[in-house]
Amino acid sequence: MILIVNTTTDTSITDEIREALASGNALFSTAGAKSAGKDASSAASGFEIVEAGTMRISYCVGCNECWLKTPGICALKDDYEEILKKLIHADQMWLITETALGFVDHKGKNIIDRMIPLATMNLQFKGKQMRHIPRYKQRTDVGIIYRGDADRSFLERWNQRVTLNLHSHSLGVFPVTEKKEAIACMH
Amino acid sequence: MHALIINGSPRIKKYSNTDKILSKFTEGMKESGATWEQYEVSDRQQWDTMRDAFFRSEHILIALPLFFECIPGLLLEFLETLPVPEKLSTPNPEKLSDPMCEKHCNNDTKIEFSASAPTLSFLLQGGFSEGIQLRCCEAYLEILAERLGCRYGGTLVKGDNFGIRFDESQRERVTTPYQKMGSIYGRDGELTDEECRKFTGPEVFPAYIRMLVGVLFKTVVKKGFMKMAADWGCDRPLDDRPYES
Ligand SMILES: Cc1cc2nc3c(=O)[nH]c(=O)nc-3n(C[C@H](O)[C@H](O)[C@H](O)COP(=O)(O)O)c2cc1C
């Protein structure tokens, strides 16, 4: 499943993605899942769009309860839980976000910070670095589509690091002017 | 030297590791004859005061925990409220109707600090032990200083701070070394000294340490975490999968 989380209030981008993916899915189903392999199976399982721009989503308060008190469950009862529940079935997550100070804005960053229940507190070495052992089997690759001015090469680097922590891969970061390139990676 | 210190952790002061680090760090500053005022991002009621202080300070230190490889969402939200040049020049229809803003946009004038541009330094601390874990955020902090129109005064980078909150016996051992770094900051008004650079410790651990620690993770450390959870009244395994059907 492809999960698209839009933290902006501009729904024209998600409209375009919906249209592109809907026709893409139709293509896959007529082409037949066998020949298209893995791509087809994830495309066949569809996509979900979450308009988070108007949702009630707090910042992470760093309380550690999702690790130590109610493992996997965030203590903050707001609209993020819906996203968390979808994330554990998502092969890809695309974050559509505004930017600030050369980076994603706080709404975009909050979506990432709140992913912490997906990790357990337990530690391991992965390659040469410490990492937390993931809670679920699902690995979610992450891509970013950003609106406004940002330091793109820094964002690339950051998303590489974020996905290292998720034991997954970066799908790249795209200014909204390159959304077509991003959509081409949604499969 | 007088410094504005901002604790950028979203955790309330009482539970914040950054705060425990800062109490040692400021002891060191005192030794160098420096003074400071400290505010907490976790307390929104302090935001207006912090913002005012930002524009009248020559020396600013933002101390922050690493959150998912960069700065915590709440600190970012506070920083977004500072009227920086980048924000003013972003074509935002609301802002454009503001004559002040148009002036800024047209002349590309930088925000005016009461004195010359302040020196913005950072104390970046994280949970994982190795220096390499903090480098991505460190790179951003230099970008951030520039975006805020400040002179970059360097970043003190240090991992292995997760236990401060949980283990009283570890607290002293982990936080005491920051005192010396505070005395350097009090002396220089920035954190670019070679001593600060060395403070980070190893970028990665050698293979034999990783093997050893790897074994500890599966045994002693894991048990320790289970004990902490039990103390918090947790009745589920730490690797529980609550949303799996
Ligand atoms: C949401 C979240 C994300 C975190 N991400 C990282 C990380 O990417 N790397 C790291 O070394 N520590 C990470 N940490 C650990 C904190 O940086 C560390 O525990 C720090 O000492 C907390 O300081 P504070 O109590 O002042 O907030 C994270 C903690 C939380 C709650």
Side-chain angles (χ1 to χ4, degrees):
Chain A
M1 186 263 283
I2 300 169
L3 177 63
I4 293 141
V5 179
N6 180 15
T7 61
T8 78
T9 47
D10 176 358
T11 54
S12 70
I13 309 165
T14 36
D15 284 345
E16 195 171 322
I17 292 172
R18 187 178 291 110
E19 209 168 293
L21 292 189
S23 55
N25 271 354
L27 239 174
F28 272 123
S29 51
T30 50
K34 263 183 218 149
S35 57
K38 184 179 172 284
D39 285 354
S41 65
S42 56
S45 57
F47 61 93
E48 291 195 45
I49 296 176
V50 177
E51 295 296 348
T54 49
M55 280 162 70
R56 207 170 43 92
I57 296 174
S58 166
Y59 56 93
C60 170
V61 298
C63 70
N64 289 132
E65 291 198 7
C66 64
W67 281 359
L68 281 168
K69 197 168 181 182
T70 51
I73 299 176
C74 181
L76 301 172
K77 300 300 168 211
D78 62 11
D79 296 338
Y80 191 78
E81 189 172 31
E82 182 187 320
I83 295 175
L84 203 54
K85 284 179 174 167
K86 291 187 197 302
L87 270 168
I88 69 167
H89 304 293
D91 303 294
Q92 297 189 344
M93 179 186 81
W94 288 87
L95 178 66
I96 305 173
T97 179
E98 304 282 355
T99 51
L101 299 164
F103 186 49
V104 301
D105 79 339
H106 72 278
K107 278 184 162 186
K109 184 62 169 37
N110 288 342
I111 298 291
I112 302 293
D113 287 354
R114 293 283 300 273
M115 287 172 96
I116 206 86
L118 296 177
T120 70
M121 184 152 173
N122 291 326
L123 294 160
Q124 63 180 129
F125 274 93
K126 189 144 187 255
K128 291 185 175 175
Q129 298 175 44
M130 291 181 190
R131 298 266 81 88
H132 287 284
I133 298 175
R135 188 173 299 282
Y136 297 96
K137 286 199 197 76
Q138 179 70 53
R139 295 291 166 269
T140 307
D141 295 339
V142 178
I144 297 174
I145 300 172
Y146 62 93
R147 255 170 57 126
D149 168 48
D151 187 316
R152 185 176 190 170
S153 68
F154 174 74
L155 275 189
E156 296 265 10
R157 179 177 176 182
W158 178 64
N159 198 40
Q160 298 275 352
R161 291 291 309 184
V162 166
T163 48
L164 203 60
N165 284 281
L166 298 173
H167 303 256
S168 66
H169 299 283
S170 168
L171 298 161
V173 304
F174 302 87
V176 74
T177 50
E178 291 175 26
K179 56 179 181 274
K180 291 223 156 40
E181 284 82 343
I183 291 170
C185 302
M186 294 180 189
H187 52 70
Chain B
M1 198 277 280
H2 180 83
L4 161 66
I5 299 180
I6 295 173
N7 175 357
S9 170
R11 269 187 197 162
I12 57 167
K13 191 175 162 84
K14 186 176 167 201
Y15 298 119
S16 162
N17 292 343
T18 309
D19 181 65
K20 310 301 168 291
I21 288 168
L22 280 174
S23 58
K24 293 290 179 196
F25 187 89
T26 50
E27 264 180 52
M29 285 174 65
K30 206 186 321 181
E31 287 168 8
S32 301
T35 56
W36 67 91
E37 54 196 299
Q38 184 183 326
Y39 301 100
E40 324 295 317
V41 157
S42 59
D43 179 6
R44 278 185 198 266
Q45 299 201 322
Q46 297 181 26
W47 283 23
D48 287 342
T49 322
M50 274 159 58
R51 205 177 300 113
D52 290 344
F54 201 93
F55 293 110
R56 60 172 163 74
S57 298
E58 253 179 83
H59 298 282
I60 304 168
L61 177 79
I62 301 181
L64 68 145
L66 185 60
F67 261 42
F68 253 109
E69 304 287 335
C70 204
I71 74 179
L74 184 65
L75 174 58
L76 194 54
E77 187 176 350
F78 167 71
L79 295 171
E80 285 168 21
T81 70
L82 297 172
V84 297
E86 184 233 9
K87 189 167 180 185
L88 290 171
S89 61
T90 310
N92 174 337
E94 238 168 81
K95 283 272 151 70
L96 276 178
S97 58
D98 172 356
M100 268 301 288
C101 176
E102 260 190 285
K103 183 179 142 241
H104 281 288
C105 296
N106 295 341
N107 307 340
D108 202 24
T109 335
K110 292 221 168 177
I111 184 77
E112 277 171 37
F113 292 98
S114 51
S116 54
T119 300
L120 178 56
S121 313
F122 299 91
L123 190 170
L124 172 64
Q125 58 92 9
F128 292 133
S129 306
E130 317 97 310
I132 196 171
Q133 305 267 5
L134 302 116
R135 298 299 175 198
C136 174
C137 181
E138 181 191 24
Y140 176 67
L141 296 175
E142 188 164 359
I143 296 169
L144 177 64
E146 190 197 324
R147 296 269 177 163
L148 291 169
C150 298
R151 189 184 148 266
Y152 179 59
T155 299
L156 183 68
V157 170
K158 185 78 179 75
D160 205 13
N161 297 289
F162 184 82
I164 296 175
R165 174 180 183 184
F166 294 98
D167 193 340
E168 296 251 353
S169 62
Q170 265 195 48
R171 188 172 299 167
E172 279 298 305
R173 180 187 63 79
V174 176
T175 55
T176 302
Y178 287 93
Q179 187 166 340
K180 184 158 182 222
M181 296 300 111
S183 72
I184 293 173
Y185 182 64
R187 182 193 71 198
D188 300 350
E190 55 179 55
L191 289 162
T192 52
D193 192 279
E194 181 62 13
E195 291 260 2
C196 302
R197 200 189 56 74
K198 282 196 206 141
F199 189 70
T200 308
E203 283 300 294
V204 291
F205 293 118
Y208 75 96
I209 302 256
R210 295 202 300 271
M211 250 174 59
L212 222 92
V213 175
V215 172
L216 294 180
F217 281 163
K218 284 189 212 146
T219 53
V220 187
V221 175
K222 195 171 173 180
K223 266 212 185 103
F225 289 166
M226 282 159 70
K227 165 94 180 37
M228 284 181 199
D231 289 347
W232 280 29
C234 176
D235 57 6
R236 305 289 309 168
L238 290 189
D239 56 0
D240 202 19
R241 295 175 175 176
Y243 298 133
E244 210 157 65
S245 40

